[in-house]
Amino acid sequence: MSITVAMYSHDSVGLGHARRNRALAYALAADLPRVTGQRVRGLLIAGHPDATQDALPEGWDWLVLPGFTSGDGGYVSRSLDISSARLTNLRSATAAAALKAMDPDLFIVDRHPFGVNGELTAALDMLRQREATTILGLREVLDSPEVAQREWASIGGADAVADRYDGIWVYGDRGIYNPLDTGEIPAALASRTRFTGYLAHGRPEDPVHPSSVRAPAPYVLTMVGGGSDGGAIGLAAARAQLPQGHSHIILTGPQMPAADHDAILDAARETGAAPGAVRVTRYAQHVPKLVRHAAAVVSMCGYNSMAEVMATTTPALVIPRNSRRAEQPRRAAALAAAGAVETLSQERLSPQELTRWFARAVTSRTLRDGIDLDGLTRIGDIAAAALPERTAAQKTTPLPTTVERPSYAYSR
């Protein structure tokens, strides 16, 4: 017998939701066989084709839905020339058909309980009838309390979520930031909520190939997540002066507009740095390793970027996004208060500020031992405890203790 896991992420902006689910997939593929004695297979439902650039564990695969993106009046079709209503119907039917065919024991939804425009409602109702365990996975910071409360109200409030979800996993350390205390998660859902710890130690790390992004050590690293709004950070970093003897890798992200990416390339060529000292590229599969070996990192303050940073001792300067949501500034403030990062506002961003910070940071390291970063290393036990009774009843002879685990690094 085997355990089937399905996950969903809407992915309208950036790839953070899909990559968070991917990290969970690797952890579950490694640990659920050890805990339950059963093999594990899975399906990740995502909303952006770039998600599939990231490999999955053996026995897992991607299902990419036609994409939504954020428009002036809400969600609009990313590529198809159809209305939002028709795209919602298409995505809803596709997701429901896939979940019916997979018949998962465990279904994990990232951030949006009912998907875009309620597209998951039918699938969730079907899974409840089949006695699957349904979990809502939330990053530790949602938004300002006022915005979060409006969003809960718009989907029917805590009761609507409680009707369709068995539990809520918050991927954070409640001692650093507690969305129950701030009101970002309704108090009525507190009994269903479990804090896992940050998904930091044990994130999947793809192997390094001869063609992989690299730079001569020592190097500094700048990364801006998906890149859709990271142009100003990348440009300031490209114009910054490097510490003596250091090279620079700038990851602009697969979703950065071509004009912004090209401007960063031009700026890197004009700095007067030695040939090859500044490497500008959209994408690298082995970001955790790049962060770990960097002398210093400049980054936006998305959840996954911070998880990759906090798994290391690399000094980090975070420049939180100040548009769309209050998520990143609130996370940056909480992590800075814990001594995990330094922060710089978008208003103060300049090549000169980054030059000064790089010069100071490359001579130090940052300890983050006081933060719970072990969510991935315990998620197998958490998931096993949440599995439905029908799965427990199907258990066969436990697998050998030498079950092969997917290879990914544990950085301390």
Side-chain angles (χ1 to χ4, degrees):
M1 305 301 293
S2 64
I3 295 170
T4 301
V5 179
M7 303 186 200
Y8 162 93
S9 56
H10 73 297
D11 306 312
S12 63
V13 178
L15 294 171
H17 302 275
R19 285 179 173 159
R20 189 158 49 235
N21 278 351
R22 182 204 182 214
L24 289 168
Y26 271 96
L28 293 172
D31 285 341
L32 269 181
R34 170 186 60 80
V35 177
T36 66
Q38 297 188 66
R39 301 189 187 279
V40 180
R41 62 181 182 177
L43 179 71
L44 269 66
I45 302 171
H48 198 290
D50 286 337
T52 64
Q53 295 184 64
D54 293 322
L56 291 175
E58 183 178 353
W60 294 63
D61 209 343
W62 293 101
L63 170 64
V64 177
L65 302 175
F68 272 111
T69 191
S70 293
D72 293 338
Y75 291 111
V76 297
S77 175
R78 177 184 288 118
S79 300
L80 293 179
D81 185 18
I82 60 176
S83 67
S84 292
R86 289 186 64 190
L87 182 54
T88 297
N89 290 337
L90 173 59
R91 285 168 54 111
S92 179
T94 303
L99 291 167
K100 183 177 181 180
M102 291 296 293
D103 192 21
D105 302 291
L106 176 64
F107 183 45
I108 303 171
V109 172
D110 192 272
R111 176 63 177 91
H112 292 277
F114 304 116
V116 178
N117 298 333
E119 65 189 358
L120 288 182
T121 304
L124 286 166
D125 289 342
M126 179 265 295
L127 292 176
R128 296 301 269 171
Q129 294 175 0
R130 295 186 172 209
E131 299 182 348
T133 294
T134 49
I135 298 294
L136 175 61
L138 299 177
R139 62 186 185 235
E140 85 292 29
V141 185
L142 300 181
D143 206 320
S144 68
E146 298 77 16
V147 170
Q149 289 160 14
R150 288 198 299 270
E151 290 183 348
W152 288 105
S154 72
I155 60 171
D159 289 344
V161 173
D163 284 345
R164 294 179 174 89
Y165 283 94
D166 297 294
I168 297 173
W169 294 347
V170 176
Y171 306 132
D173 179 344
R174 69 189 309 159
I176 301 298
Y177 192 94
N178 189 336
L180 286 168
D181 286 348
T182 65
E184 290 162 72
I185 297 177
L189 295 175
S191 63
R192 296 173 185 258
T193 300
R194 175 162 188 172
F195 287 78
T196 66
Y198 284 96
L199 308 182
H201 290 148
R203 292 182 74 83
E205 188 169 294
D206 294 297
V208 178
H209 301 292
S211 60
S212 298
V213 176
R214 64 186 69 212
Y219 64 87
V220 296
L221 173 67
T222 297
M223 55 186 190
V224 294
S228 60
D229 54 0
I233 297 174
L235 192 60
R239 290 171 173 166
Q241 297 300 306
L242 296 176
Q244 183 68 33
H246 287 69
S247 54
H248 193 179
I249 299 173
I250 303 175
L251 300 179
T252 61
Q255 297 174 359
M256 180 173 284
D260 290 349
H261 178 80
D262 290 346
I264 293 169
L265 278 171
D266 291 341
R269 297 188 188 103
E270 295 167 0
T271 59
V278 182
R279 174 78 186 273
V280 179
T281 186
R282 285 188 175 274
Y283 182 76
Q285 289 185 310
H286 56 296
V287 172
K289 183 171 289 186
L290 289 176
V291 173
R292 185 166 64 251
H293 294 299
V297 174
V298 167
S299 175
M300 295 184 79
C301 201
Y303 180 92
N304 290 287
S305 295
M306 290 302 94
E308 289 162 347
V309 165
M310 288 193 292
T312 74
T313 59
T314 305
L317 177 68
V318 299
I319 305 165
R321 173 189 294 125
N322 58 6
S323 61
R324 293 208 306 268
R325 290 190 175 275
E327 171 210 351
Q328 290 201 12
R330 294 175 74 88
R331 177 178 297 114
L335 293 177
V341 300
E342 296 180 59
T343 63
L344 181 69
S345 68
Q346 293 272 354
E347 293 74 19
R348 292 182 53 214
L349 173 66
S350 70
Q352 294 75 25
E353 287 283 352
L354 297 188
T355 296
R356 287 190 287 269
W357 185 81
F358 278 138
R360 175 169 53 84
V362 296
T363 62
S364 66
R365 302 304 281 179
T366 302
L367 296 179
R368 303 178 173 102
D369 296 341
I371 302 174
D372 184 353
L373 304 173
D374 291 323
L376 290 172
T377 63
R378 65 171 66 97
I379 205 69
D381 294 287
I382 294 173
L387 283 170
E389 292 183 4
R390 66 169 179 154
T391 306
Q394 292 172 353
K395 288 186 180 179
T396 57
T397 304
L399 295 174
T401 56
T402 56
V403 171
E404 183 178 352
R405 299 167 63 92
S407 59
Y408 52 83
Y410 286 80
S411 308
R412 296 282 179 178

